[in-house]
Amino acid sequence: MKRRTRRIIIIAVVAALAIAAILYFAVFKNRQDKLIVYNWYDYIDESVIEQFEEETGIKVNYVNFTTVEEMYTQMTAGNNSYDIVVPSDYIVERLIKEDKLAALDYEKLPNAKANILDTMWAYSYDNGNKYSVPYMWGTMGILYNTEKVNGEITSWSSLFDPQYKNGVFMLDSIRDMMGVMLKYQGYSLNDFSDEALSKVSDLLIEQKNNGIVAGYMVDEVKDKMIAGEGAMAVMWSGDAMYAIMENDKLAYVVPEEGSNVWVDAMCVPKDSKHYDWALKFIDFMCRPDIAKKNYEYIYYASPIKQVVAELPAEEAENVAVNPNEEILAKCETFTDMMDKMEQLNKYWMKIRN
Amino acid sequence: MKRSFFSGPYALWMVLFTIFPLIFVAFYALTDKNGAFTFANLAQGFENDYMKVLWRSIRLALECTAICLLLGYPCAYILAGKDFSRHKSLFVLILLPMWMNFLLRTYATMTLLEDTGVINSLLEKLGMQPKKLIGTRGAVLFGMVYNYLPFMVLPIHTSVKKMDERVIEAAQDLGANPVRVFFRVKLPLSVPGIISGISMVFMPSVTTFAISRLLGSGMIHMLGDTIENQFMTLNNWQFGSALSLVMMALILLSMGLLNRIDINKSERTNNW
């Protein structure tokens, strides 16, 4: 009797294992057959993915991240394999340095080759776009409330103007904030000499002590500016565009001293198992009708010529989605500075304390 | 069946979600980026800049705890008294805010305090000068007290409620006036509740970061903000863990001190 029970248990366990294995491989196989796209959260018109699946028959597994650092950790530390990732410029640079990206074959990217803006090919993070194709891009600047400032804002110096006491929102992001202030003082965005950094941080400490700063924030600033709090805020162009659409008293400017220009670009990791599919997807994103759909959903500046050419007049004049070349000439991208963040943080702690 | 069998799931839970994470934190705090043993992270935690943040956090937490005690004790005492013991609804009102997510409540507080917010619009309508409320130390303190007050009221309420009526009657029979009864009998008997309340308020206060960011507009930089920053933007898990360890040591120390006050109490309702 006892032996029989044991036999039944063994059979049951083996059966359960077999079923589990079948299920596992079914799911696993299913996963293998999909193109895994790893993009920022809320950064695509999802109907575009469906359209891609319909037109090509390739199934897409679309996954998201909210910070590019999270993406970097997932991609390099985890044993996840992604077919397309969409990091920011300086992370692209780091990934190239670490030999994690596959070189792109532009023979298979006719749309990207023909449609990407001429100005988008020579940024230092990936000169010639050998490993990455721009997806969306933008600048950093000042979003201001036209009813609360005197005249037009044109310079970073307005952030230090005593008449805007308790009216200036600064960005709680070390790299970006220090970067644009370096630009304001005539240094390069990536100049991390102690001389430059201490000069800039002295300015920021004085600004805080003078009571001009209303807060150091990231996500909440948009809503505050829309609600009419504060006179101006340091902001990314994409967020600024969103705020302007919600409140037409707001305007965005890239200050004349120059600023940061950033690019989020599509890349194929070296360990992708679907190189050809990935290129198909990237090229699909560069098709004018698709890029336009994405632009109209995200409202970040598009790198696709046709989208820019067909902008409605009002948007074409808005530097938040269509920076002119004069401004761009003064802007720089960030270089990868992972090993310099500690040094930056020392200055930042002094400012915030 | 052995009794220990039933504690199995609980032990497993503790190991998975308390012991393991603690080991990870300690491991990160005591290693450098290559995994070699070092005290450098901990030493960095004692640098001037971080000590300033730590001191600011402790001071705010102490102030918050003191205010909660001053507001909470009378409230709990009155609610536990005879006049109100039948009115459960009043007690529920104290608990009610806790049914809502604290972030939501803090966002709501933010819209109250903003320059164009409810309070300042009202002031303006009344012809008064608007006041800067958001982004100040007072706003952060207000938010903390608002959020943590129930944690003070609850344990005190319990300990006052549990008091043996006969002891109080005995004091009265022996001729003590109400003031004397309160200070010599009721107050000492409610000490366990007070201690429990203090630790329940002090701990979340000292580690708070969302409240200081939303109501302080990032102007009041707290230890919680600093730690979050190390993990989220600087990607320095080692130093972030070291700061967390310093903070945990601090909390343990203060809890230890509190427990010493409590040590000769036979009836212990506090959680430590």
Side-chain angles (χ1 to χ4, degrees):
Chain A
M1 191 65 191
K2 246 190 175 162
R3 191 169 285 173
R4 236 178 102 190
T5 330
R6 195 178 288 168
R7 198 175 295 163
I8 288 171
I9 290 174
I10 290 173
I11 289 170
V13 167
V14 169
L17 278 177
I19 290 168
I22 289 166
L23 277 175
Y24 176 76
F25 279 111
V27 173
F28 189 66
K29 226 180 153 239
N30 198 10
R31 242 180 80 178
Q32 285 288 298
D33 277 333
K34 281 185 173 179
L35 181 76
I36 307 172
V37 180
Y38 196 28
N39 194 0
W40 293 81
Y41 174 74
D42 203 20
Y43 208 35
I44 199 167
D45 179 343
E46 302 234 357
S47 73
V48 158
I49 299 173
E50 278 165 38
Q51 202 179 331
F52 176 78
E53 289 180 331
E54 268 167 35
E55 286 187 20
T56 61
I58 299 168
K59 289 267 168 262
V60 174
N61 184 5
Y62 188 69
V63 283
N64 297 141
F65 55 87
T66 51
T67 69
V68 73
E69 276 73 22
E70 175 191 337
M71 181 240 107
Y72 177 80
T73 316
Q74 282 291 324
M75 183 185 155
T76 52
N79 38 15
N80 306 295
S81 100
Y82 299 105
D83 299 312
I84 292 174
V85 291
V86 191
S88 304
D89 40 42
Y90 65 101
I91 298 286
V92 175
E93 183 188 332
R94 189 188 304 170
L95 289 171
I96 294 173
K97 231 187 281 170
E98 292 172 354
D99 197 24
K100 296 246 163 61
L101 298 181
L104 300 177
D105 178 2
Y106 274 88
E107 290 303 307
K108 290 172 180 162
L109 297 168
N111 279 314
K113 203 173 170 184
N115 301 344
I116 298 287
L117 286 172
D118 299 335
T119 48
M120 302 296 296
W121 289 86
Y123 282 121
S124 60
Y125 67 89
D126 179 16
N127 198 343
N129 294 346
K130 292 188 196 74
Y131 298 90
S132 66
V133 174
Y135 177 63
M136 288 281 159
W137 64 292
T139 51
M140 203 169 149
I142 301 175
L143 178 77
Y144 60 97
N145 190 327
T146 48
E147 288 185 333
K148 292 194 171 182
V149 299
N150 289 322
E152 227 171 293
I153 302 291
T154 55
S155 158
W156 291 115
S157 64
S158 297
L159 297 177
F160 302 90
D161 191 336
Q163 67 169 312
Y164 302 123
K165 202 166 174 168
N166 190 29
V168 176
F169 289 110
M170 302 295 272
L171 199 65
D172 183 11
S173 171
I174 309 173
R175 181 170 49 92
D176 302 281
M177 205 62 251
M178 296 295 263
V180 294
M181 288 297 103
L182 286 168
K183 269 319 248 193
Y184 166 48
Q185 286 300 302
Y187 297 101
S188 155
L189 197 69
N190 298 303
D191 183 346
F192 292 139
S193 63
D194 277 313
E195 180 216 334
L197 287 177
S198 63
K199 192 167 171 193
V200 163
S201 64
D202 283 349
L203 271 177
L204 291 172
I205 290 170
E206 198 190 318
Q207 179 205 27
K208 189 187 180 194
N209 290 343
N210 288 344
I212 296 168
V213 183
Y216 299 91
M217 281 172 287
V218 185
D219 293 329
E220 298 88 18
V221 188
K222 269 184 292 196
D223 297 322
K224 294 213 176 222
M225 290 301 289
I226 292 167
E229 293 270 310
M232 60 186 94
V234 179
M235 206 179 272
W236 287 287
S237 55
D239 287 348
M241 188 62 199
Y242 169 81
I244 289 169
M245 289 199 301
E246 297 285 318
N247 180 348
D248 56 12
K249 311 259 180 342
L250 301 175
Y252 176 79
V253 63
V254 181
E256 60 198 11
E257 294 93 350
S259 181
N260 164 233
V261 55
W262 52 264
V263 183
D264 290 331
M266 299 174 277
C267 313
V268 184
K270 258 201 168 151
D271 54 10
S272 157
K273 294 176 189 79
H274 303 292
Y275 181 76
D276 282 347
W277 287 5
L279 290 195
K280 261 188 193 157
F281 187 87
I282 291 176
D283 204 49
F284 188 74
M285 290 295 134
C286 296
R287 226 170 73 182
D289 58 321
I290 301 300
K292 194 170 181 189
K293 271 191 184 175
N294 279 331
Y295 164 74
E296 280 166 359
Y297 181 83
I298 310 167
Y299 273 116
Y300 279 23
S302 170
I304 303 297
K305 282 176 193 166
Q306 291 87 336
V307 176
V308 179
E310 289 165 19
L311 283 177
E314 199 183 322
E315 287 166 27
E317 281 166 24
N318 191 333
V319 289
V321 283
N322 189 22
N324 63 44
E325 282 174 29
E326 198 185 331
I327 290 177
L328 280 182
K330 290 179 198 149
C331 293
E332 280 177 82
T333 52
F334 278 114
T335 58
D336 181 31
M337 54 181 86
M338 187 153 67
D339 46 344
K340 291 177 184 132
M341 285 305 276
E342 298 290 320
Q343 189 197 353
L344 272 183
N345 187 47
K346 284 216 166 75
Y347 287 100
W348 190 245
M349 279 298 289
K350 294 244 174 359
I351 297 164
R352 298 296 299 277
N353 243 325
Chain B
M1 205 91 69
K2 274 192 198 154
R3 223 188 298 170
S4 61
F5 176 80
F6 291 105
S7 66
Y10 181 65
L12 187 72
W13 179 272
M14 288 288 282
V15 168
L16 276 181
F17 296 109
T18 308
I19 311 287
F20 267 158
L22 260 178
I23 292 173
F24 276 125
V25 170
F27 174 77
Y28 274 118
L30 293 172
T31 50
D32 63 14
K33 288 208 161 134
N34 303 319
F37 181 82
T38 175
F39 277 122
N41 300 314
L42 280 175
Q44 199 191 342
F46 287 96
E47 275 172 18
N48 202 4
D49 286 339
Y50 298 102
M51 280 290 126
K52 251 162 96 179
V53 181
L54 184 66
W55 175 231
R56 181 181 306 130
S57 301
I58 292 174
R59 252 182 57 191
L60 257 171
L62 284 175
E63 282 169 38
C64 169
T65 312
I67 296 173
C68 280
L69 183 60
L70 285 176
L71 291 175
Y73 193 91
C75 171
Y77 184 80
I78 294 166
L79 283 178
K82 284 202 194 85
D83 302 343
F84 285 101
S85 52
R86 273 200 261 135
H87 303 282
K88 280 249 166 62
S89 51
L90 275 171
F91 190 66
V92 171
L93 277 182
I94 300 279
L95 294 180
L96 202 61
M98 290 172 78
W99 299 356
M100 254 172 282
N101 180 286
F102 96 99
L103 264 180
L104 270 179
R105 271 181 284 144
T106 307
Y107 268 106
T109 319
M110 196 163 93
T111 60
L112 279 182
L113 301 178
E114 277 176 342
D115 292 347
T116 55
V118 178
I119 293 177
N120 273 322
S121 319
L122 219 75
L123 282 178
E124 231 166 327
K125 284 223 173 81
L126 294 171
M128 282 186 271
Q129 199 65 25
K131 232 177 129 27
K132 178 183 158 68
L133 300 168
I134 195 97
T136 59
R137 198 168 178 279
V140 178
L141 194 56
F142 175 76
M144 280 161 69
V145 170
Y146 173 50
N147 268 300
Y148 302 134
L149 187 60
F151 296 111
M152 184 64 84
V153 175
L154 282 179
I156 296 178
H157 181 266
T158 314
S159 72
V160 172
K161 202 127 199 173
K162 272 170 67 181
M163 254 176 234
D164 193 340
E165 271 303 311
R166 290 169 302 177
V167 181
I168 297 161
E169 277 165 18
Q172 285 163 345
D173 287 347
L174 291 169
N177 62 21
V179 177
R180 208 173 154 85
V181 170
F182 176 78
F183 280 107
R184 295 298 294 271
V185 181
K186 288 184 180 171
L187 189 63
L189 280 177
S190 59
V191 164
I194 294 176
I195 285 171
S196 177
I198 289 177
S199 43
M200 301 268 287
V201 172
F202 181 74
M203 275 187 297
S205 302
V206 86
T207 57
T208 188
F209 66 95
I211 296 176
S212 59
R213 189 162 57 202
L214 292 176
L215 300 181
S217 304
M219 301 292 283
I220 318 294
H221 206 59
M222 305 266 279
L223 194 62
D225 297 303
T226 312
I227 293 173
E228 198 219 5
N229 205 11
Q230 290 296 331
F231 282 95
M232 300 305 287
T233 58
L234 294 170
N235 223 357
N236 192 346
W237 291 32
Q238 287 77 16
F239 186 48
S241 300
L243 280 175
S244 305
L245 265 195
V246 171
M247 193 162 76
M248 272 192 267
L250 184 97
I251 292 175
L252 265 179
L253 197 77
S254 45
M255 289 309 117
L257 285 178
L258 269 176
N259 265 6
R260 292 202 68 136
I261 307 172
D262 193 32
I263 209 130
N264 43 14
K265 291 281 164 280
S266 52
E267 193 180 17
R268 302 178 53 135
T269 54
N270 75 331
N271 306 323
W272 286 85

